Amino acid sequence: MTSICDGLNVLELGAGSVPASLAAMVLADHGARVVKVEPPEGDRLRSAAPPAAVVWNRGKESLVADLRKAEGQARVRELARDADVVLEAFAPGRADEWGIGSDVLRAANPRLVYCAISGFGPDGPYAHLKGYEALVCAKTGLFSRGEFAPRRGPAMFPQNFGGFGAAMLAAGGVLAALLVRERTGRGQRVDTSLLQGLDPVDYFMTTIYQVAVRNGGAPPPLDTSAALGASRYGVLVATRDGRFIQTSTVLPHQAVALTEAAGISHVLDDPRYANLPMFATAEDAQEWEDLLWQAFRERDLADWLPVLESYEDIAFEVARWSEEGLDHPQILHNGDALTVDDPGFGPVRQVGPLGHFTATPARAPRAAPPLGSHHGPFAATAPAAEAPAAGTPRPHHPLDGITIVEFGFFYAMPYALALAAALGARVVKLEDASGDPMRRSFGPELGAVKVSAGKESLSVDLSNAEGRAIVHRLVDGADVFVTGFRSGVAERNGLGYEELAARNPRLLYVHAAGYGTDGPYARRALYAQAAQAVAGSFGRQVGAWLRPERNLDMSVIELQAVVAPRLAQIVDGDSNAALALFGALMLGIYDQQRTGRGQFMRTSMIAGNAYAYSDDFCAYDGKPPIGICDDEAFGVHALYRLYEASEGWVCLAATTDREWRALVSAIGEPGLAVDERFGTAELRRAHDDDLVAILRAMFRTRPAAEWEQLLTDAGVGCVDVFLDGYQAFTSTDTRLRENGTTVEVEHPLLGTLVRSGAPVRFSETPW
């Protein structure tokens, strides 16, 4: 069988870029020939994050070229003449300085799709800032916390939120631009950024913030749990042997089942608990949570697992480290963990393909290449015989003419299709008379603004033949059908794969459920916090507090007061799944539109989250541990950390020797450069506490805004941390509207809203 990207030549340019590496891996997994250009010392990931390099470079080739020299620049221009795609992730303007920017390369190769990935975008008020993940998160308010945080000030969460988002947006954007090329014969420039990649993590709070302010109310707290004090949609509990379990009690029957499994079903007769998981008072809610904590603390995890698994109505997952996720029964069943024999590291267990396609499966991945290992120049890809004539008009939008039918609720699947709608697809959402429950979450329509944007809604009763006939007529003319429900739901409503494929053989049918199409967990419900737990979000985001030995001797009260608040995370379980589905969906659409061939594709929320954590969702002998934050979530180490300034807070990111030298020069402390404790990166890590103390005292001498200006001018990554939260940043920073990073839209019920702009920019076919 062929793979979807067979015949595509891809050139990857970057300096340790997470999104470029991941996006290129997606294309390589599905058949593209990817040549990664590396400096003589190797791409930064090889030394800074070896597990990431081992996984994200699989299936690629490595070409050494020093892009700071004319010879290396000429080598890239030569390769690009026969490339289909360039993925470039340098600072804005750097590629142009080197003579390998989009204008130069596209002038020599008009069919080229050139995708540039930056930190804050190629232009706009923050384009000059360094594009490190932590800087983007800090500047946009994602690291800010509310009044119920365990300590004052922002907290660092060392995960690739924006990097993963940008990777999936880049992969999808490239495939969309290639589809346009199929129609016009011409390539174009595509842009996305970590800033755009972050936006999916904000599910609804920006909308709620704006409506609250407009109505004269106080903006919602940064810590949304405070606003939900009289409800318990999810409860974290700890076992006797120190393991944590994340439960989801979104629906009443799920809360009841958890109560029964915990052995406290006697409380169900109490009228205070009649409306689980909603309560009349916050005190009642806390009392129910306390009872669960006390019950779970009495037995070990091994005792609880069979109990919880025996209740299909209980949505839960164990708080894991990423490596543990490789052995999750459903991950194994789905084929979402595979083993690649690496000549340097031996067998490497790692994440599987982005999507499982019946007709065009991903190819078996090859190991990541040694530095400089490649197969020579690209073979020129000649245009197909039926290539469009010169002057063929381009479509208005990348996905013009593509119709997608959506059958599913909440966020993970629907938001992926909102991204497709933003690129011009016609998306028709199927709903019953009550509508997607997201419409009623957190206030009328407030929760649904992002997931319904750009779509049409067809309200239809699928329980009768007339309603099914209406939907069948719609699907007969569609290109894609996507369902996010568990297996059996679509089939019971006359919308199963066999039935729809018989009617429309060219249909791409996508099943994107929580756990997968079949297998040991497939019938279980799954929500965001549990989905990310499978992939190891607890270990990555708050790992210092996850270790059992930290809490074995604690009482329930101590656990709740000391540990539980420090296990609060950025909830990315839904956004990761949505982004991964968008990437997989674009692979399927690219194939379907080019070949007219229909097929079945499956993916899952847990697979999408495994992809987001894939630089640690891997295992091999000698694998170094992932970098996690200190106990109070200030940072990973002294040079990638949050510091309090005389006014506000700064986030510092100085990860290279050159940035270290620039830092000590800018702050007027040349003695640090020759201090024997800090002479190398290894020594700086060994004396991290000493360096933290020095920098902590230094940053307290000036306001954060001054530090940002001073260090940015010196070429050091540093930003003034925005402390009011991502929702306020998006809603109130008017400078973001200058280049379309945010836009104003009119909602039919909620009026004028500010929202994020294009997830991907296209030079010829806008969103």
Side-chain angles (χ1 to χ4, degrees), residues 374-424:
H374 63 91
H375 304 307
F378 288 134
T381 304
E386 65 277 10
T392 302
R394 62 177 181 260
H396 293 294
H397 310 293
L399 299 186
D400 265 0
I402 295 171
T403 298
I404 304 173
V405 179
E406 173 187 320
F407 186 50
F409 290 160
F410 295 112
Y411 192 93
M413 184 275 281
Y415 185 68
L417 301 197
L419 292 172
L423 271 55

Short mmCIF file of all heavy atoms in Angstrom, two decimals, residues 374-424:
data_model
loop_
_atom_site.label_atom_id
_atom_site.label_comp_id
_atom_site.label_asym_id
_atom_site.label_seq_id
_atom_site.Cartn_x
_atom_site.Cartn_y
_atom_site.Cartn_z
N HIS A 374 22.44 10.98 4.73
CA HIS A 374 21.36 11.31 3.78
C HIS A 374 21.62 10.60 2.46
O HIS A 374 22.68 9.99 2.25
CB HIS A 374 21.26 12.83 3.58
CG HIS A 374 22.49 13.45 2.97
ND1 HIS A 374 22.65 13.60 1.62
CD2 HIS A 374 23.62 13.94 3.54
CE1 HIS A 374 23.82 14.17 1.37
NE2 HIS A 374 24.43 14.38 2.53
N HIS A 375 20.67 10.71 1.56
CA HIS A 375 20.72 9.97 0.29
C HIS A 375 20.89 10.89 -0.91
O HIS A 375 20.49 10.56 -2.02
CB HIS A 375 19.47 9.12 0.11
CG HIS A 375 19.20 8.18 1.25
ND1 HIS A 375 20.15 7.29 1.71
CD2 HIS A 375 18.11 8.00 2.03
CE1 HIS A 375 19.64 6.59 2.72
NE2 HIS A 375 18.41 7.01 2.94
N GLY A 376 21.49 12.05 -0.70
CA GLY A 376 21.77 12.92 -1.83
C GLY A 376 20.64 13.86 -2.16
O GLY A 376 19.66 13.99 -1.41
N PRO A 377 20.74 14.56 -3.27
CA PRO A 377 19.74 15.57 -3.64
C PRO A 377 18.35 14.96 -3.83
O PRO A 377 18.19 13.76 -4.04
CB PRO A 377 20.28 16.13 -4.97
CG PRO A 377 21.72 15.75 -5.00
CD PRO A 377 21.83 14.46 -4.25
N PHE A 378 17.36 15.84 -3.76
CA PHE A 378 16.00 15.41 -4.07
C PHE A 378 15.90 15.08 -5.55
O PHE A 378 16.51 15.74 -6.40
CB PHE A 378 15.00 16.53 -3.78
CG PHE A 378 14.77 16.79 -2.31
CD1 PHE A 378 14.76 18.09 -1.83
CD2 PHE A 378 14.53 15.75 -1.42
CE1 PHE A 378 14.53 18.36 -0.48
CE2 PHE A 378 14.31 16.00 -0.07
CZ PHE A 378 14.30 17.31 0.39
N ALA A 379 15.10 14.06 -5.86
CA ALA A 379 14.71 13.83 -7.25
C ALA A 379 13.56 14.78 -7.55
O ALA A 379 12.60 14.85 -6.79
CB ALA A 379 14.27 12.38 -7.44
N ALA A 380 13.68 15.53 -8.61
CA ALA A 380 12.65 16.51 -8.95
C ALA A 380 11.30 15.81 -9.12
O ALA A 380 11.21 14.77 -9.77
CB ALA A 380 13.02 17.26 -10.22
N THR A 381 10.29 16.37 -8.53
CA THR A 381 8.94 15.84 -8.66
C THR A 381 8.24 16.57 -9.79
O THR A 381 7.90 17.76 -9.66
CB THR A 381 8.14 16.02 -7.36
OG1 THR A 381 8.87 15.41 -6.29
CG2 THR A 381 6.76 15.39 -7.45
N ALA A 382 8.08 15.91 -10.89
CA ALA A 382 7.44 16.55 -12.04
C ALA A 382 5.95 16.71 -11.80
O ALA A 382 5.31 15.83 -11.20
CB ALA A 382 7.67 15.71 -13.30
N PRO A 383 5.36 17.81 -12.24
CA PRO A 383 3.91 17.96 -12.12
C PRO A 383 3.18 16.84 -12.85
O PRO A 383 3.67 16.31 -13.85
CB PRO A 383 3.64 19.32 -12.77
CG PRO A 383 4.95 20.04 -12.72
CD PRO A 383 6.00 18.98 -12.85
N ALA A 384 2.03 16.45 -12.32
CA ALA A 384 1.24 15.40 -12.95
C ALA A 384 0.82 15.83 -14.36
O ALA A 384 0.76 17.02 -14.68
CB ALA A 384 0.00 15.11 -12.11
N ALA A 385 0.52 14.84 -15.19
CA ALA A 385 0.14 15.12 -16.57
C ALA A 385 -1.07 16.03 -16.64
O ALA A 385 -1.21 16.84 -17.57
CB ALA A 385 -0.13 13.81 -17.31
N GLU A 386 -1.96 15.87 -15.69
CA GLU A 386 -3.18 16.68 -15.69
C GLU A 386 -3.02 17.94 -14.84
O GLU A 386 -3.99 18.49 -14.32
CB GLU A 386 -4.37 15.86 -15.18
CG GLU A 386 -4.29 15.41 -13.72
CD GLU A 386 -3.47 14.15 -13.52
OE1 GLU A 386 -2.80 13.71 -14.48
OE2 GLU A 386 -3.50 13.60 -12.41
N ALA A 387 -1.77 18.41 -14.66
CA ALA A 387 -1.52 19.59 -13.84
C ALA A 387 -2.29 20.78 -14.38
O ALA A 387 -2.46 20.93 -15.60
CB ALA A 387 -0.03 19.90 -13.82
N PRO A 388 -2.76 21.64 -13.50
CA PRO A 388 -3.54 22.80 -13.95
C PRO A 388 -2.71 23.73 -14.82
O PRO A 388 -1.50 23.86 -14.65
CB PRO A 388 -3.96 23.48 -12.64
CG PRO A 388 -2.99 22.99 -11.63
CD PRO A 388 -2.62 21.61 -12.05
N ALA A 389 -3.36 24.37 -15.75
CA ALA A 389 -2.68 25.30 -16.64
C ALA A 389 -2.31 26.56 -15.88
O ALA A 389 -2.94 26.91 -14.87
CB ALA A 389 -3.58 25.64 -17.82
N ALA A 390 -1.29 27.25 -16.36
CA ALA A 390 -0.89 28.51 -15.74
C ALA A 390 -2.06 29.49 -15.77
O ALA A 390 -2.81 29.56 -16.75
CB ALA A 390 0.31 29.09 -16.49
N GLY A 391 -2.21 30.23 -14.70
CA GLY A 391 -3.31 31.18 -14.63
C GLY A 391 -4.60 30.62 -14.08
O GLY A 391 -5.60 31.33 -14.00
N THR A 392 -4.61 29.34 -13.70
CA THR A 392 -5.81 28.76 -13.09
C THR A 392 -6.16 29.54 -11.84
O THR A 392 -5.30 29.75 -10.97
CB THR A 392 -5.58 27.29 -12.73
OG1 THR A 392 -5.22 26.56 -13.90
CG2 THR A 392 -6.84 26.68 -12.11
N PRO A 393 -7.40 30.01 -11.72
CA PRO A 393 -7.73 30.83 -10.53
C PRO A 393 -7.61 30.01 -9.25
O PRO A 393 -7.95 28.84 -9.21
CB PRO A 393 -9.17 31.28 -10.80
CG PRO A 393 -9.71 30.33 -11.81
CD PRO A 393 -8.55 29.87 -12.63
N ARG A 394 -7.12 30.67 -8.24
CA ARG A 394 -6.97 29.99 -6.97
C ARG A 394 -8.29 30.05 -6.20
O ARG A 394 -9.09 30.98 -6.38
CB ARG A 394 -5.86 30.63 -6.15
CG ARG A 394 -6.08 32.09 -5.78
CD ARG A 394 -4.96 32.60 -4.90
NE ARG A 394 -5.16 33.98 -4.50
CZ ARG A 394 -4.57 35.03 -5.06
NH1 ARG A 394 -3.73 34.82 -6.07
NH2 ARG A 394 -4.80 36.25 -4.64
N PRO A 395 -8.52 29.08 -5.31
CA PRO A 395 -9.73 29.13 -4.47
C PRO A 395 -9.63 30.28 -3.49
O PRO A 395 -8.56 30.80 -3.20
CB PRO A 395 -9.73 27.78 -3.76
CG PRO A 395 -8.28 27.37 -3.74
CD PRO A 395 -7.70 27.90 -5.01
N HIS A 396 -10.79 30.70 -2.99
CA HIS A 396 -10.80 31.80 -2.02
C HIS A 396 -10.10 31.39 -0.72
O HIS A 396 -9.44 32.21 -0.07
CB HIS A 396 -12.23 32.24 -1.72
CG HIS A 396 -12.91 32.87 -2.90
ND1 HIS A 396 -12.50 34.07 -3.43
CD2 HIS A 396 -13.97 32.46 -3.64
CE1 HIS A 396 -13.28 34.38 -4.45
NE2 HIS A 396 -14.17 33.43 -4.60
N HIS A 397 -10.29 30.12 -0.31
CA HIS A 397 -9.73 29.63 0.94
C HIS A 397 -9.13 28.24 0.69
O HIS A 397 -9.51 27.55 -0.26
CB HIS A 397 -10.80 29.55 2.01
CG HIS A 397 -11.61 30.82 2.15
ND1 HIS A 397 -11.06 31.99 2.60
CD2 HIS A 397 -12.91 31.08 1.88
CE1 HIS A 397 -11.99 32.93 2.61
NE2 HIS A 397 -13.12 32.41 2.18
N PRO A 398 -8.20 27.80 1.53
CA PRO A 398 -7.51 26.53 1.25
C PRO A 398 -8.44 25.32 1.10
O PRO A 398 -8.18 24.45 0.27
CB PRO A 398 -6.58 26.36 2.45
CG PRO A 398 -6.36 27.76 2.94
CD PRO A 398 -7.63 28.49 2.70
N LEU A 399 -9.50 25.25 1.90
CA LEU A 399 -10.37 24.06 1.87
C LEU A 399 -11.71 24.36 1.20
O LEU A 399 -12.69 23.66 1.45
CB LEU A 399 -10.58 23.52 3.29
CG LEU A 399 -9.33 23.07 4.03
CD1 LEU A 399 -9.69 22.42 5.37
CD2 LEU A 399 -8.50 22.10 3.19
N ASP A 400 -11.75 25.36 0.35
CA ASP A 400 -12.98 25.64 -0.40
C ASP A 400 -13.46 24.39 -1.11
O ASP A 400 -12.67 23.65 -1.71
CB ASP A 400 -12.72 26.73 -1.45
CG ASP A 400 -13.08 28.11 -0.94
OD1 ASP A 400 -13.53 28.22 0.21
OD2 ASP A 400 -12.90 29.08 -1.70
N GLY A 401 -14.77 24.16 -1.06
CA GLY A 401 -15.37 23.06 -1.79
C GLY A 401 -15.38 21.74 -1.06
O GLY A 401 -15.92 20.76 -1.58
N ILE A 402 -14.82 21.68 0.14
CA ILE A 402 -14.79 20.44 0.91
C ILE A 402 -15.88 20.50 1.97
O ILE A 402 -15.98 21.47 2.73
CB ILE A 402 -13.41 20.24 1.56
CG1 ILE A 402 -12.35 20.04 0.48
CG2 ILE A 402 -13.41 19.07 2.54
CD1 ILE A 402 -10.94 20.05 0.98
N THR A 403 -16.71 19.47 2.02
CA THR A 403 -17.81 19.41 2.99
C THR A 403 -17.54 18.32 4.02
O THR A 403 -17.23 17.18 3.67
CB THR A 403 -19.15 19.12 2.27
OG1 THR A 403 -19.43 20.20 1.38
CG2 THR A 403 -20.29 19.00 3.28
N ILE A 404 -17.66 18.69 5.28
CA ILE A 404 -17.43 17.78 6.40
C ILE A 404 -18.70 17.73 7.24
O ILE A 404 -19.26 18.77 7.59
CB ILE A 404 -16.26 18.26 7.28
CG1 ILE A 404 -14.99 18.44 6.44
CG2 ILE A 404 -16.01 17.29 8.43
CD1 ILE A 404 -13.83 19.08 7.20
N VAL A 405 -19.14 16.53 7.57
CA VAL A 405 -20.29 16.34 8.46
C VAL A 405 -19.76 15.92 9.82
O VAL A 405 -18.99 14.96 9.93
CB VAL A 405 -21.27 15.30 7.91
CG1 VAL A 405 -22.44 15.11 8.87
CG2 VAL A 405 -21.77 15.72 6.53
N GLU A 406 -20.19 16.63 10.85
CA GLU A 406 -19.69 16.43 12.21
C GLU A 406 -20.77 15.80 13.08
O GLU A 406 -21.89 16.29 13.14
CB GLU A 406 -19.27 17.77 12.81
CG GLU A 406 -18.90 17.71 14.28
CD GLU A 406 -18.66 19.09 14.86
OE1 GLU A 406 -18.04 19.93 14.19
OE2 GLU A 406 -19.10 19.33 16.01
N PHE A 407 -20.39 14.73 13.79
CA PHE A 407 -21.33 14.03 14.67
C PHE A 407 -20.62 13.76 15.99
O PHE A 407 -19.96 12.74 16.16
CB PHE A 407 -21.78 12.72 14.01
CG PHE A 407 -22.86 11.99 14.77
CD1 PHE A 407 -24.01 12.63 15.21
CD2 PHE A 407 -22.73 10.62 15.02
CE1 PHE A 407 -25.01 11.93 15.89
CE2 PHE A 407 -23.73 9.92 15.69
CZ PHE A 407 -24.87 10.58 16.13
N GLY A 408 -20.72 14.72 16.91
CA GLY A 408 -20.04 14.57 18.19
C GLY A 408 -20.19 15.82 19.02
O GLY A 408 -20.62 16.87 18.53
N PHE A 409 -19.81 15.72 20.30
CA PHE A 409 -20.06 16.79 21.25
C PHE A 409 -18.78 17.24 21.95
O PHE A 409 -17.72 16.63 21.83
CB PHE A 409 -21.07 16.32 22.31
CG PHE A 409 -22.48 16.13 21.81
CD1 PHE A 409 -23.37 15.34 22.52
CD2 PHE A 409 -22.92 16.73 20.64
CE1 PHE A 409 -24.67 15.16 22.08
CE2 PHE A 409 -24.22 16.56 20.19
CZ PHE A 409 -25.11 15.78 20.91
N PHE A 410 -18.92 18.29 22.73
CA PHE A 410 -17.92 18.85 23.62
C PHE A 410 -16.79 19.53 22.83
O PHE A 410 -17.06 20.31 21.93
CB PHE A 410 -17.42 17.82 24.63
CG PHE A 410 -18.50 17.38 25.59
CD1 PHE A 410 -19.01 16.09 25.56
CD2 PHE A 410 -19.05 18.27 26.51
CE1 PHE A 410 -20.02 15.69 26.43
CE2 PHE A 410 -20.06 17.88 27.38
CZ PHE A 410 -20.54 16.59 27.34
N TYR A 411 -15.52 19.24 23.10
CA TYR A 411 -14.43 20.08 22.57
C TYR A 411 -13.46 19.33 21.66
O TYR A 411 -13.12 19.83 20.58
CB TYR A 411 -13.66 20.71 23.73
CG TYR A 411 -12.71 21.82 23.30
CD1 TYR A 411 -13.12 23.14 23.30
CD2 TYR A 411 -11.40 21.54 22.91
CE1 TYR A 411 -12.25 24.18 22.92
CE2 TYR A 411 -10.53 22.55 22.52
CZ TYR A 411 -10.97 23.86 22.52
OH TYR A 411 -10.11 24.86 22.12
N ALA A 412 -12.98 18.17 22.08
CA ALA A 412 -11.82 17.56 21.43
C ALA A 412 -12.04 17.35 19.93
O ALA A 412 -11.21 17.76 19.10
CB ALA A 412 -11.47 16.24 22.11
N MET A 413 -13.11 16.68 19.55
CA MET A 413 -13.38 16.49 18.14
C MET A 413 -13.93 17.76 17.48
O MET A 413 -13.44 18.19 16.43
CB MET A 413 -14.31 15.30 17.92
CG MET A 413 -14.57 14.99 16.45
SD MET A 413 -15.90 15.97 15.71
CE MET A 413 -17.32 15.09 16.32
N PRO A 414 -14.94 18.42 18.06
CA PRO A 414 -15.51 19.59 17.38
C PRO A 414 -14.51 20.72 17.12
O PRO A 414 -14.59 21.40 16.09
CB PRO A 414 -16.63 20.03 18.33
CG PRO A 414 -17.07 18.76 18.98
CD PRO A 414 -15.79 18.01 19.20
N TYR A 415 -13.57 20.94 18.04
CA TYR A 415 -12.64 22.05 17.78
C TYR A 415 -11.72 21.74 16.60
O TYR A 415 -11.32 22.66 15.86
CB TYR A 415 -11.81 22.39 19.02
CG TYR A 415 -10.94 23.59 18.79
CD1 TYR A 415 -11.52 24.85 18.62
CD2 TYR A 415 -9.57 23.48 18.67
CE1 TYR A 415 -10.74 25.97 18.36
CE2 TYR A 415 -8.78 24.59 18.42
CZ TYR A 415 -9.37 25.83 18.26
OH TYR A 415 -8.59 26.93 17.99
N ALA A 416 -11.36 20.49 16.40
CA ALA A 416 -10.56 20.14 15.22
C ALA A 416 -11.28 20.56 13.95
O ALA A 416 -10.67 21.05 12.99
CB ALA A 416 -10.27 18.64 15.20
N LEU A 417 -12.60 20.38 13.93
CA LEU A 417 -13.37 20.74 12.74
C LEU A 417 -13.59 22.24 12.67
O LEU A 417 -13.80 22.79 11.58
CB LEU A 417 -14.69 19.98 12.72
CG LEU A 417 -14.58 18.45 12.73
CD1 LEU A 417 -15.88 17.81 12.29
CD2 LEU A 417 -13.45 17.97 11.85
N ALA A 418 -13.57 22.94 13.81
CA ALA A 418 -13.60 24.40 13.76
C ALA A 418 -12.33 24.93 13.07
O ALA A 418 -12.38 25.94 12.36
CB ALA A 418 -13.73 24.98 15.16
N LEU A 419 -11.20 24.26 13.27
CA LEU A 419 -9.98 24.64 12.56
C LEU A 419 -10.13 24.40 11.06
O LEU A 419 -9.70 25.23 10.25
CB LEU A 419 -8.79 23.85 13.11
CG LEU A 419 -8.36 24.17 14.54
CD1 LEU A 419 -7.30 23.18 15.02
CD2 LEU A 419 -7.84 25.59 14.65
N ALA A 420 -10.76 23.29 10.69
CA ALA A 420 -11.00 23.03 9.26
C ALA A 420 -11.95 24.08 8.68
O ALA A 420 -11.77 24.54 7.55
CB ALA A 420 -11.57 21.63 9.07
N ALA A 421 -12.95 24.48 9.45
CA ALA A 421 -13.87 25.52 9.00
C ALA A 421 -13.13 26.84 8.81
O ALA A 421 -13.41 27.60 7.87
CB ALA A 421 -15.02 25.68 9.99
N ALA A 422 -12.18 27.13 9.70
CA ALA A 422 -11.41 28.37 9.57
C ALA A 422 -10.62 28.39 8.26
O ALA A 422 -10.36 29.46 7.69
CB ALA A 422 -10.46 28.52 10.75
N LEU A 423 -10.25 27.22 7.75
CA LEU A 423 -9.52 27.13 6.49
C LEU A 423 -10.45 27.03 5.29
O LEU A 423 -9.99 26.80 4.17
CB LEU A 423 -8.57 25.92 6.51
CG LEU A 423 -7.16 26.19 7.06
CD1 LEU A 423 -7.18 26.80 8.45
CD2 LEU A 423 -6.33 24.92 7.05
N GLY A 424 -11.76 27.17 5.52
CA GLY A 424 -12.68 27.28 4.40
C GLY A 424 -13.56 26.08 4.13
O GLY A 424 -14.39 26.12 3.21
#
